Amino acid sequence: MRFQLLGPLALADGPDTVVLQPSKPANLLAALLLNANSTVSAGYLQRAVWGEEQPATAKAALQTCVLRLRRLFAKHGVTGTAIEAVPGGYRIVAGPPTLDLLAYRDQVRRATAMDRDPEAELYTLRDALSLWQGSLLANVRSAVLHRDEVPRLAEERLRVVERVCDLLLGLGRCGEALVDLWTATRVYPGHERFHEQLIEALYRSGRQSQALAEYRRVKDFLREELGVDPSPSLRRLELSILRGEDLGPVGQAALAASAPGQAAPVVSTSAEAVGSGSASGAVVGSGSASGAVVSRVVRGETVPQPDAETPGSEPAPASGPDPAPAPAPAPDPAPAPDPATIPTLVTAPVPTSAPAPVTVPPGAATGAPSTAGACAPPADAGIGPVPGVPHFTGRAAEAEAMAARLTAPPPTGPADHRALAVVVSGAPGIGKSALAQHVARQVGDAFPAGRLLVRMTRADGEPRTAGEVAAALADALGVTGEGRALLILDDVVDADQVRPLLTPGGPPGTGPGLAVVVTSRMGLGGLIATHGGWVQRLTAFTEAESYGLLLAALGAERVEAEPEAAHRLTAVCGHFPAALRILTARLLTRPGLRLADAVDWLGDDPLARLTLTDSPGHSVTGLFDRALDRLDPRLAQAFTHLAQGPPELLADGGPEHEGPVPEAVREQLADAGLLEDGPPGPYRIHGLLRAHVRRTARIRDRRTEKV
């Protein structure tokens, strides 16, 4: 079970999320989680729950709220996290695996230590920002928390967004930075650093006139709305653009200044932690001898801290009245928008195997002067060299057949005809991309002009247009060598997305010798009918292939010590490649865990546990959800009906009381990779996919819960 603070307050168990309805206990839980692992005084909790004007029974009512939260925890199976009563207040114990705020801060700290590896730091910060799920504490009706806590958390996020944009600029990936910065500057018009980054990204991309127009716009805003001039750094940037100067690489000083770990300690705007920038408070006084009393300042109140605390005891009554509340901070000129409204590129983690972007000389595609910088448009198109696949195993027959097809002489025919070599299709997570990339690296000698992986969908799942991909390919293929080239068009949504790339109007420089591999969840029968080619339809692993993957990933010593347990693990995963990959990743992080124990742990709730806790985007449920989101709503409804019903629904006749689901609908679902087999044999739904649909249906009506 995981608590979510970076958005609406919620309890999450794998893909299942219960969003708490606004209530006094919800206010209390938010206040405790925001100060996890620290004692929070009863006085501050009362103000967080009831505001500055509290009822006379507030102290007794606070204990009632605690009891209601404990019952909620018991109801939802929360273990390892409890609300403890300690002298003077309460405390909740949590860690990165159980609280998204702590996981976020832990990721940011790890990223700070990677300052010598910008790519790794960028990936880690993106992963951290993916934990933000919407408007902060939207369902918590506490004026005190929204006054004291939300601005501080918003500032933490904005510092990281700044850092991500600096890293993107430093890596020459201006197009990615522009996507974030256009919105950030409009949501935060007075945030000069975002404007400076936007102007720099525009200029480095060869858009000098737009960069100057943006400078004039922010200059007018600052003067008219705030009565101030642009900062010296903004004015210097404008002067450099007017002179047409080469900005050079993003300096290390600028990158260091934006690093989250280099920022000044973040403190709240009210009396939260006297003498400390830590949210947990500062230790005052001393007491090294046994039995000595140490005091901890939490939320502006001194709470005695004995050496030994008694969990579960009720808080001791505070001596004397509560101190006067700290005055509210001065209001901003305008209400600050929620930082989660900035749709950044970091909302989904980037696979570690993502290829490096292909770059072209500055100005090659845009006509920009080379002095503007070195940001290459192809980086935005998701085009790069074909990466390796770690621990690739199985698919021996498929790989051999594909390699033979790709290395065969180019087909004869009209000079303007570009034959399609292979379509690799199958269910989401079945291993289409892995097979295509593995084979492409095996046959590298046959393609001296290079091999490129073209991602046909963006990180947010939106398909790239054929025109966008064609323009980027023209640049990318212009820097490859002579001879035959290989393209992998990965995750194609439909045939229309590919056809323009396989016609005479396709990218320049891609002659008949070009080999093309398409991976898609769809069967793409229409594309095969018009362009020819060969189809490789993938299904789940065999038992031997699944066992081989465990051997390759975990090592023979560990797997062969418990062969029976290893086979049981593969069965629980349904021999589904994506599930096996996630399982092996989890087991590699726990080298001391016996496979037999893992079987029991995984078997209790495989769908919830086939996810990577530090990267929630890597999960079986998320994979299935994204696949179902691509379906036409009517098809999605039909598939939900089939998955929830008996197996007879998949037959031609269907149950007598319901009748059959039309074969045309079943064929469309099979073409989308959601049904296996089909005429003349029976259709089937993979066990994990059926369980996911049924589980989703069960929780649909309990998305909100009263506390």
Side-chain angles (χ1 to χ4, degrees):
M1 185 66 70
R2 181 184 181 89
F3 294 97
Q4 293 182 345
L5 274 176
L6 303 180
L9 179 63
L11 300 177
D13 184 8
D16 302 343
T17 302
V18 176
V19 179
L20 304 183
Q21 288 189 349
S23 63
K24 297 295 189 294
N27 293 356
L28 172 61
L29 179 59
L32 289 170
L33 290 173
L34 286 164
N35 302 280
N37 306 314
S38 298
T39 298
V40 187
S41 71
Y44 181 82
L45 291 175
Q46 289 166 202
R47 290 199 299 277
V49 174
W50 286 279
E52 303 297 352
E53 297 182 5
Q54 304 162 26
T57 59
K59 289 187 178 180
L62 183 65
Q63 296 178 11
T64 302
C65 288
V66 172
L67 292 175
R68 290 173 64 183
L69 286 177
R70 287 172 175 163
R71 286 198 293 268
L72 176 72
F73 290 0
K75 175 181 178 181
H76 290 284
V78 176
T79 59
T81 301
I83 299 175
E84 301 174 351
V86 295
Y90 289 91
R91 177 178 62 197
I92 192 168
V93 179
T98 56
L99 178 58
D100 61 354
L101 176 60
L102 297 182
Y104 169 76
R105 289 173 173 164
D106 184 61
Q107 286 280 76
V108 172
R109 279 193 296 270
R110 291 200 302 112
T112 303
M114 301 174 181
D115 55 347
R116 295 181 182 275
D117 187 350
E119 285 281 4
E121 182 182 359
L122 177 62
Y123 168 75
T124 305
L125 290 178
R126 279 174 156 167
D127 205 18
L129 284 169
S130 70
L131 296 174
W132 291 71
Q133 299 296 321
S135 183
L136 281 169
L137 302 182
N139 55 337
V140 175
R141 305 289 189 261
S142 170
V144 171
L145 295 183
H146 281 276
R147 180 195 69 196
D148 296 350
E149 299 288 356
V150 169
R152 178 168 62 88
L153 292 177
E155 187 62 29
E156 285 189 46
R157 183 180 186 275
L158 292 182
R159 292 295 300 237
V160 173
V161 174
E162 283 182 27
R163 176 64 174 176
V164 165
C165 292
D166 273 334
L167 288 168
L168 288 170
L169 291 174
L171 292 167
R173 292 153 68 174
C174 300
E176 293 181 51
L178 283 171
V179 174
D180 296 345
L181 290 167
W182 278 120
T183 304
T185 51
R186 273 54 183 172
V187 174
Y188 291 88
H191 195 107
E192 289 190 66
R193 179 59 186 150
F194 283 148
H195 288 287
E196 187 177 345
Q197 291 172 317
L198 174 60
I199 293 167
E200 180 178 348
L202 287 169
Y203 182 56
R204 288 180 180 275
S205 300
R207 297 153 72 175
Q208 181 177 6
S209 60
Q210 282 185 270
L212 290 171
E214 183 63 22
Y215 175 82
R216 289 191 293 271
R217 196 191 70 79
V218 67
K219 179 181 177 181
D220 292 343
F221 171 83
L222 292 172
R223 285 183 172 177
E224 293 174 8
E225 299 295 329
L226 304 177
V228 298
D229 288 324
S231 65
S233 59
L234 261 176
R235 295 199 297 271
R236 285 193 298 270
L237 180 59
E238 181 212 20
L239 186 59
S240 296
I241 295 173
L242 288 171
R243 292 173 175 172
E245 295 176 350
D246 183 359
L247 299 182
V250 176
Q252 291 301 314
L255 287 177
S258 70
Q262 302 297 326
V266 178
V267 295
S268 292
T269 52
S270 62
E272 295 173 343
V274 178
S276 171
S278 169
S280 62
V283 177
V284 296
S286 63
S288 58
S290 176
V293 174
V294 180
S295 295
R296 182 179 292 274
V297 178
V298 177
R299 299 299 172 207
E301 303 176 19
T302 303
V303 181
Q305 299 282 328
D307 280 353
E309 297 169 347
T310 307
S313 61
E314 293 300 322
S319 57
D322 289 332
D332 293 330
D338 194 300
T341 59
I342 303 178
T344 65
L345 286 177
V346 297
T347 55
V350 178
T352 54
S353 61
V358 174
T359 58
V360 296
T366 63
S370 62
T371 56
C375 288
D380 296 333
I383 299 176
V386 177
V389 181
H391 310 306
F392 185 87
T393 189
R395 311 289 192 203
E398 294 90 339
E400 183 180 356
M402 277 185 63
R405 292 275 176 175
L406 292 174
T407 55
T412 58
D416 61 356
H417 178 72
R418 186 171 301 117
L420 180 63
V422 181
V423 171
V424 184
S425 62
I430 207 68
K432 303 177 292 294
S433 300
L435 175 62
Q437 293 169 25
H438 174 71
V439 173
R441 290 175 69 90
Q442 280 189 320
V443 299
D445 292 342
F447 298 97
R451 296 151 294 164
L452 291 178
L453 176 68
V454 184
R455 300 189 185 277
M456 300 297 288
T457 54
R458 299 184 178 88
D460 60 3
E462 286 297 311
R464 301 181 190 278
T465 65
E468 174 187 352
V469 174
L473 276 173
D475 291 322
L477 290 168
V479 297
T480 59
E482 296 295 329
R484 200 176 181 207
L486 171 64
L487 290 185
I488 299 177
L489 305 181
D490 190 43
D491 199 13
V492 169
V493 174
D494 55 40
D496 290 337
Q497 193 186 19
V498 181
R499 281 197 180 99
L501 304 176
L502 304 173
T503 62
T510 55
L514 181 76
V516 179
V517 176
V518 169
T519 74
S520 178
R521 298 172 188 176
M522 307 300 293
L524 303 182
L527 189 66
I528 296 295
T530 57
H531 287 74
W534 177 70
V535 178
Q536 179 64 68
R537 182 83 173 182
L538 300 184
T539 58
F541 274 163
T542 65
E543 185 174 353
E545 288 175 325
S546 298
Y547 189 80
L549 177 57
L550 292 192
L551 283 172
L554 302 179
E557 181 178 356
R558 186 175 183 187
V559 174
E560 291 177 351
E562 300 179 81
E564 182 181 352
H567 282 292
R568 290 169 59 199
L569 277 175
T570 63
V572 173
C573 292
H575 305 293
F576 197 70
L580 291 166
R581 289 280 180 186
I582 293 171
L583 170 67
T584 54
R586 297 205 67 168
L587 291 175
L588 283 169
T589 64
R590 293 167 174 80
L593 179 65
R594 295 176 61 249
L595 298 188
D597 294 333
V599 172
D600 297 333
W601 165 78
L602 181 64
D604 287 342
D605 195 351
L607 284 173
R609 287 166 180 167
L610 285 172
T611 183
L612 301 181
T613 55
D614 63 339
S615 183
H618 290 78
S619 68
V620 170
T621 55
L623 179 71
F624 290 156
D625 280 335
R626 291 189 292 272
L628 293 172
D629 286 344
R630 285 193 188 179
L631 284 183
D632 178 278
R634 290 169 297 180
L635 275 181
Q637 184 177 8
F639 181 72
T640 300
H641 176 59
L642 287 170
Q644 289 184 267
E648 291 78 13
L649 273 178
L650 295 168
D652 288 337
E656 292 182 2
H657 63 285
E658 291 196 43
V661 173
E663 182 174 340
V665 172
R666 288 177 286 161
E667 272 293 278
Q668 290 181 71
L669 291 171
D671 193 56
L674 299 177
L675 296 184
E676 300 173 357
D677 295 335
Y683 293 97
R684 294 181 296 109
I685 300 177
H686 192 279
L688 284 178
L689 183 53
R690 184 187 289 274
H692 169 70
V693 173
R694 290 179 172 178
R695 179 183 182 132
T696 302
R698 286 198 304 270
I699 67 174
R700 187 181 298 119
D701 297 330
R702 60 181 184 90
R703 285 291 183 180
T704 61
E705 173 135 2
K706 292 184 178 180
V707 182

